[in-house]
Amino acid sequence: MSEQDSERQDIEQAKAGPLTPADFAQYPEYSALKKNWHWFQNQKIGVLLHWGLYTVPGMVESWQLSDEDTWARGNKPFRPNMRQLKRDYWGLATQFVPDHYDPDAWARLFKEAGIRYAILTTKHHDGFTLYDTALSDFKVTNPDYPAAHLQQPDLFGRFTTAMRAAGVMPGAYYSKADWHYPDYWRHDGLPKGRHADYLPSEDPQRWQRFVDFVHQQLLEISGNYGPLGMLWLDAGWVGNQREPLDFDPLMAQIRKLQPEMLIVDRTIGGRYEEYVTPERQVPDPDHLPTMPWESNIPLTHDWGYVPHGQYKSIETVIATILRVVSLGGNIVLGVGPKVDGTIAPPYRKLLRQLGAWLQLNGQGIYGTRGVQPSLFKRAAQLGWFVTEDAGHYYLFPQMTVPPRQLDLKRFDFPEAISGAALLGRTQASLPLAPTGCLGLPGGLRQQLYPGIVCVKATAGTPEASN
C-alpha cells in the first residue's frame, strides 16, 4: 500500500545506495547493533507522535513556515502573507497550553493497543522544543510561555518516564533543521526555503555555531532522559554535503550514553542510519530494504492533529500491519495529540480496536520475521498473509470470507506442517487431513483477519498463546 501523493512534498526519499547489516561489521559498535536490531525487529509496532505549536491552529506540522513549500499552505494558509504567517506562528508558543497532558494515560492506551515503542517529537523544524533545553529559550519550559507553569513542564521528560513505567520503550524524534535558530535562518523577513539561508561553505563560522548547537541538543536528549530505544533524526536535507553535521565525534559520545539505542539518521544512508524508514508506503516485495526497516504510516492524512481529519479504518490499519510484518518490517503509526495534550477519540478507538485484535493474534506478529518474497507472493495469490518464527507459520486471510477448506500444499512451505490451531484464547486445534487440507470453522467468517498457527514438523505439537 502506498500513501504517497503529489500534494505533500515533505516525504523524503533515500539519498544513498543500499547498505546491509554486514556493512557495519567494520565498526566497533557492530556487536551492540546486532543485539539492538534483534530487539527492534521483535517489537513490530510503534507509534510516532507529532506534537507542537502547529497543533494550536491544527495545521500540517510546521511546513507552512518554508516559503518554498507552497504545498503546505495550499488553499488555506495560516496567514495571508508570509511575513505575518511567520510572526504569528512563532507567537503560537504563547498559546500552547497542554494543561490536560497525562502521559500515564497515553502509556496505558498504548499498552492496551499492543504498542511496543513510542517516539515523541522533541523538536520539529520550527525549533520549538518539548523538553528543557539549555541551548534555546524557544522551549516549552520558557517562563514567558504558559506551558512553563504546569507542574511538570518538561513534556518529553514526563513522556519517557511514563512509557518506561508501562513497559513501552520511549524514543526521541528530533529535527536537525531549526528554522527559529538564527544561525540557520536569519530573522530578517526575507523568504526562506527549508535549507539554511546561506551556504555553510561561505560562512563556516556561522555554520559551526549551528553544528555545535545540534550536537549539544542531541547530547541533552541522549544524556538526560534515561534509556531510549531510538534517536529518530528528521530533516534529511541537513547532514548532507551541503550542510554537513560532523557526526563522527558526536555519535561516539552518544553511544557511550545510550549503548542500546538505535540511531536513525533517516534518508542519509551510511553509518548513522541504523534502520531505514519508508514513509507512507510499504515496500514492494521485489525491492525490499536491505537494512532493518520500519514503514511510517499516519492514522490520518497528517502526522499532527488536524481537526476533522480523515481517519483510516481498522480494517485498513490491520491489513497494512499484516503486509508490513509479512515482508519483514516494523510499522510505526502516526498519532497527533491535540494541543491540550489529549488524544482525540478517533485515535483512541482505532488503537483500542488494534489492541483487541492483537490480544487474539499477537503471537503471529511480535517476534516473527518476514517470509521469503516468493512465499509472500504465492500466499498473496491464494489470498493470505504469512509470517513465521522458528517453529511456526502464521496465516491471516486477506479476504473477508475465508474458505471452509484450505489446501496447505498450495503454499509450498519449505517445512512440512504437523498441525494447526486458531490463534486466540481458545487455542482450538484445526483438523489437518493427510492430504494437507486444513478444515476451517464457519465462525472464522465473522472475525477480522483471524490468525491460524501452523506448526513446522520439527517444532512439536500445535499451540497458540498470547
Side-chain angles (χ1 to χ4, degrees):
M1 182 186 79
S2 175
E3 292 194 348
Q4 292 193 17
D5 57 58
S6 58
E7 296 176 3
R8 295 188 66 110
Q9 297 170 30
D10 59 329
I11 301 171
E12 297 179 45
Q13 305 296 331
K15 299 181 177 67
L19 295 177
T20 70
D23 292 312
F24 289 75
Q26 60 184 304
Y27 302 124
E29 64 268 20
Y30 183 56
S31 294
L33 275 177
K34 288 192 291 184
K35 177 183 175 182
N36 298 344
W37 282 326
H38 180 77
W39 169 84
F40 173 73
Q41 290 179 302
N42 283 343
Q43 305 312 300
K44 293 304 175 206
I45 305 175
V47 290
L48 176 59
L49 298 126
H50 274 68
W51 192 31
L53 300 186
Y54 40 87
T55 59
V56 177
M59 66 189 204
V60 53
E61 298 99 52
S62 54
W63 284 99
Q64 289 202 31
L65 289 167
S66 170
D67 292 69
E68 72 180 9
D69 284 287
T70 57
W71 63 272
R73 293 181 291 277
N75 296 324
K76 295 182 179 180
F78 175 51
R79 293 293 183 266
N81 64 75
M82 289 302 294
R83 184 180 294 270
Q84 182 182 0
L85 187 151
K86 290 175 183 175
R87 182 193 68 221
D88 289 355
Y89 186 94
W90 306 132
L92 292 172
T94 65
Q95 302 174 51
F96 185 74
V97 188
D99 51 354
H100 288 85
Y101 175 47
D102 183 353
D104 294 314
W106 288 16
R108 289 192 296 271
L109 174 63
F110 299 157
K111 191 72 173 178
E112 182 183 351
I115 300 300
R116 294 295 181 86
Y117 59 99
I119 305 168
L120 178 65
T121 40
T122 62
K123 176 175 74 78
H124 203 255
H125 314 327
D126 57 15
F128 185 75
T129 67
L130 299 190
Y131 77 99
D132 187 24
T133 180
L135 283 301
S136 168
D137 290 330
F138 198 51
K139 59 183 178 179
V140 72
T141 55
N142 183 329
D144 292 335
Y145 300 147
H149 303 289
L150 300 174
Q151 187 173 3
Q152 294 176 290
D154 189 324
L155 305 182
F156 182 67
R158 293 174 62 190
F159 170 83
T160 58
T161 300
M163 293 303 140
R164 278 193 293 268
V168 177
M169 177 60 78
Y173 168 109
Y174 178 87
S175 170
K176 296 174 292 181
D178 194 314
W179 296 337
H180 188 266
Y181 195 71
D183 285 318
Y184 199 80
W185 274 10
R186 293 179 182 89
H187 292 208
D188 54 15
L190 296 176
K192 311 290 182 185
R194 61 176 66 178
H195 288 274
D197 64 1
Y198 63 104
L199 285 174
S201 59
E202 295 179 358
D203 194 343
Q205 290 184 329
R206 184 181 173 205
W207 182 251
Q208 187 58 50
R209 290 195 299 269
F210 179 71
V211 170
D212 293 342
F213 168 78
V214 171
H215 283 206
Q216 290 304 310
Q217 284 202 323
L218 291 177
L219 287 170
E220 287 177 331
I221 293 166
S222 301
N224 297 347
Y225 294 99
L228 301 173
M230 57 283 296
L231 179 62
W232 211 89
L233 302 176
D234 208 7
W237 63 90
V238 188
N240 57 20
Q241 292 183 346
R242 183 186 188 274
E243 300 185 11
L245 284 176
D246 191 22
F247 266 175
D248 285 350
L250 170 68
M251 293 306 176
Q253 297 178 70
I254 286 178
R255 285 204 173 92
K256 290 180 180 178
L257 295 169
Q258 295 277 355
E260 297 183 349
M261 181 178 73
L262 288 162
I263 298 165
V264 192
D265 195 9
R266 61 188 307 259
T267 78
I268 292 294
R271 183 176 182 179
Y272 307 119
E273 190 175 17
E274 294 173 355
Y275 66 79
V276 297
T277 55
E279 185 170 349
R280 295 177 179 267
Q281 62 177 304
V282 179
D284 184 274
D286 291 324
H287 300 92
L288 292 175
T290 54
M291 289 289 294
W293 57 278
E294 166 197 81
S295 279
N296 314 145
I297 309 290
L299 289 178
T300 72
H301 185 65
D302 299 288
W303 288 106
Y305 175 74
V306 174
H308 314 296
Q310 296 179 340
Y311 290 82
K312 295 178 172 66
S313 69
I314 188 58
E315 290 82 5
T316 296
V317 172
I318 293 175
T320 305
I321 290 172
L322 286 170
R323 183 173 178 84
V324 166
V325 175
S326 295
L327 290 170
N330 284 23
I331 188 166
V332 67
L333 302 169
V335 173
K338 299 173 70 174
V339 65
D340 66 357
T342 61
I343 294 176
Y347 281 125
R348 298 202 305 269
K349 179 180 178 182
L350 279 172
L351 290 170
R352 288 184 172 123
Q353 287 175 321
L354 173 60
W357 184 84
L358 286 166
Q359 278 291 316
L360 297 175
N361 297 286
Q363 183 188 347
I365 302 297
Y366 305 117
T368 64
R369 293 297 183 266
V371 297
Q372 289 295 318
S374 57
L375 176 53
F376 174 89
K377 289 187 283 188
R378 194 159 56 245
Q381 290 174 349
L382 296 171
W384 294 80
F385 294 108
V386 183
T387 67
E388 72 171 312
D389 59 26
H392 311 87
Y393 292 107
Y394 302 94
L395 301 177
F396 299 89
Q398 296 185 19
M399 70 288 288
T400 304
V401 181
R404 296 300 296 267
Q405 293 284 330
L406 182 61
D407 185 355
L408 295 181
K409 288 186 177 180
R410 297 183 66 190
F411 290 86
D412 194 21
F413 291 121
E415 294 89 355
I417 303 301
S418 62
L422 294 177
L423 288 177
R425 300 184 185 93
T426 61
Q427 302 186 13
S429 295
L430 297 174
L432 178 62
T435 60
C437 279
L438 188 65
L440 302 182
L444 218 60
R445 298 168 179 235
Q446 281 75 53
Q447 297 182 35
L448 180 64
Y449 298 110
I452 298 168
V453 53
C454 296
V455 181
K456 297 176 182 178
T458 56
T461 59
E463 59 182 26
S465 61
N466 293 302

